[in-house]
Amino acid sequence: MLGDPGVQEARARVETAETELGLELCARLQPFQDRYDQDVAEGDADRLTRACAGKHGRWGRICVLPDGHETSMEEPHWGLNSEGRPIAWGGSAPDDW
């Protein structure tokens, strides 16, 4: 089913939209990525536990926004993809389809 041309086309459209939205939000949300990177480098487990749980390690995505951002900030999940490009996505598992 995943090899179906229609599924592949839909997946490509979703990836394009996620990348475009990620780039649009980059200027506003990059400070969250910078803070996340600093917390990782410093091993600040307390701050890291307060980050969003929206992670897709298989696809190289980790949301760097604070926990609860979907309601308090009304932002989609946002971070960098496995190639280091900004990406934004909605829902809890955008790649599980």
Side-chain angles (χ1 to χ4, degrees):
M1 171 130 193
L2 293 176
D4 181 88
V7 171
Q8 294 296 320
E9 181 182 334
R11 180 180 182 87
R13 285 195 314 266
V14 167
E15 288 176 1
T16 298
E18 291 172 342
T19 300
E20 289 173 358
L21 182 57
L23 288 170
E24 287 177 27
L25 296 173
C26 188
R28 188 169 74 239
L29 301 180
Q30 183 62 41
F32 291 100
Q33 181 69 50
D34 297 341
R35 181 67 212 196
Y36 179 85
D37 292 342
Q38 181 180 350
D39 293 341
V40 169
E42 295 174 356
D44 190 337
D46 182 55
R47 285 193 57 93
L48 290 169
T49 60
R50 289 185 266 146
C52 176
K55 295 167 178 52
H56 295 279
R58 176 178 171 198
W59 301 103
R61 298 175 178 188
I62 297 175
C63 181
V64 298
L65 301 179
D67 190 32
H69 67 86
E70 302 95 335
T71 55
S72 63
M73 296 170 57
E74 297 183 5
E75 298 283 5
H77 295 294
W78 188 88
L80 302 177
N81 66 14
S82 59
E83 290 99 28
R85 292 179 301 187
I87 191 161
W89 69 98
S92 60
D95 294 317
D96 296 341
W97 53 290

